[in-house]
């Protein structure tokens, strides 16, 4: 049972380059999330998708775009990477409502360095 | 603004002791709270949760207490083991657009000495 799978695990980018972080879940969850984690800052929500076809901004959306490709997949794109986007990125998913459960399950993280 | 925070950034205990990790929240509309454990280099893992209509919930070696009056949450770990060493996050959850959105605190690092 894979759960939440995100790729790549490590990436180094030059300032101004673009890249997409991929995420897929096999739990038939409705909701998916992208968080970033910086030292001493905890987890901060970038974007989330309550269901297939919808996306909404979280606490720190600037510099990012997302696509909910289908129910399984939710990608995060950096159009023009900046050093301030150096962070660990976590994708997560949950059933999304009180009936199917709202426990959030996380992927293993993607370490991104922008130089 | 609303926030979730932790009182202590680091907690050191001896193996076998009980550990208590505290968390304060400020969003009175939060109705669901979660504790996560994060080991180095890994994603957060669900430990235990509690709804706002409860004040205590027990799991295997872990207990979560919720005091809504003072907006305080705690995680108690019984007979702490070296494998419990990790960063622990609390999160309060609000509903937005039909989705549950957790807001995480900064985390407490638990160090268990053998």
């Amino acid at each position: 049972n894979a759960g939440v799978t995100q790729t790549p695990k490590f990436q180094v980018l030059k300032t101004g380059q673009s890249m997409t972080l991929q995420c897929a879940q096999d739990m038939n969850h409705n909701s998916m999330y992208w968080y970033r984690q910086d030292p001493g800052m905890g987890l901060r929500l970038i974007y989330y998708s309550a269901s297939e076809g919808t996306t909404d901004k979280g606490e720190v959306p600037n510099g990012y775009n997302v696509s909910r490709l289908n129910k399984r997949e939710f990608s995060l794109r950096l159009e023009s990477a900046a050093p301030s986007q150096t962070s660990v990125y976590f994708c997560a998913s949950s059933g999304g409502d009180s009936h199917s459960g709202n426990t959030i399950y996380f992927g293993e993280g993607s370490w991104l360095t922008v130089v | 603004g609303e926030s979730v925070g932790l009182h202590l950034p680091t907690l050191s205990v001896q193996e076998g002791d009980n550990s208590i990790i505290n968390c304060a929240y400020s969003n009175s509309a939060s109705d669901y709270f979660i504790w996560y454990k994060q080991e180095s280099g890994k994603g957060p893992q669900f430990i235990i949760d509690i709804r706002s209509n409860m004040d205590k919930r027990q799991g295997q070696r872990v207990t979560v207490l919720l005091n809504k009056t003072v907006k305080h949450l705690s995680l108690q770990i019984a007979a702490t083991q070296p494998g419990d060493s990790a960063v622990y996050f609390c999160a309060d959850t609000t509903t937005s657009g039909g989705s549950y959105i957790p807001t995480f605190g900064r985390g407490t690092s638990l160090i268990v000495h053998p």
Side-chain angles (χ1 to χ4, degrees):
Chain A
N1 188 359
V4 180
T5 304
Q6 53 182 113
T7 58
K9 192 167 181 66
F10 300 98
Q11 184 71 50
V12 179
L13 286 177
K14 293 183 178 179
T15 297
Q17 286 186 319
S18 62
M19 78 157 297
T20 300
L21 298 176
Q22 308 286 352
C23 176
Q25 52 89 10
D26 61 3
M27 296 174 281
N28 201 34
H29 283 166
N30 292 317
S31 298
M32 297 186 73
Y33 313 80
W34 275 105
Y35 286 87
R36 61 177 287 173
Q37 185 175 35
D38 303 296
M41 297 295 292
L43 290 150
R44 292 185 293 170
L45 183 65
I46 305 171
Y47 271 93
Y48 69 98
S49 171
S51 61
E52 185 178 355
T54 68
T55 61
D56 286 284
K57 295 178 180 179
E59 181 185 356
V60 288
N62 291 343
Y64 305 96
N65 286 302
V66 290
S67 296
R68 183 73 182 267
L69 304 171
N70 47 56
K71 191 172 186 178
R72 289 187 65 247
E73 299 173 288
F74 188 40
S75 62
L76 178 72
R77 182 161 179 83
L78 286 71
E79 290 292 350
S80 180
S84 61
Q85 294 179 303
T86 293
S87 188
V88 183
Y89 291 85
F90 288 98
C91 179
S93 71
S94 76
D97 57 50
S98 59
H99 297 292
S100 55
N102 47 19
T103 299
I104 293 186
Y105 297 88
F106 286 84
E108 290 297 288
S110 296
W111 273 252
L112 177 64
T113 302
V114 183
V115 298
Chain B
E2 303 290 354
S3 65
V4 175
L6 293 171
H7 296 309
L8 297 173
T10 303
L11 177 64
S12 293
V13 300
Q14 292 296 127
E15 181 178 1
D17 287 351
N18 295 331
S19 302
I20 300 176
I21 301 172
N22 295 304
C23 179
Y25 66 96
S26 57
N27 187 351
S28 57
S30 295
D31 60 359
Y32 178 64
F33 305 86
I34 317 167
W35 281 99
Y36 284 89
K37 172 186 179 183
Q38 186 176 28
E39 297 175 322
S40 181
K42 295 187 177 181
Q45 291 181 295
F46 170 86
I47 302 174
I48 192 168
D49 59 0
I50 188 168
R51 295 196 177 275
S52 59
N53 60 354
M54 303 171 67
D55 54 18
K56 180 179 181 179
R57 192 171 187 207
Q58 289 184 294
Q60 187 176 14
R61 284 200 306 118
V62 294
T63 300
V64 56
L65 300 178
L66 175 63
N67 185 331
K68 295 180 288 294
T69 302
V70 295
K71 297 188 180 69
H72 184 268
L73 195 68
S74 68
L75 177 70
Q76 301 178 1
I77 305 174
T80 313
Q81 302 167 1
D84 294 326
S85 292
V87 176
Y88 290 81
F89 293 94
C90 68
D92 72 328
T93 305
T94 55
T95 304
S96 178
S99 188
Y100 282 90
I101 307 298
T103 300
F104 289 84
R106 290 185 298 124
T108 292
S109 177
L110 176 65
I111 300 171
V112 182
H113 300 283

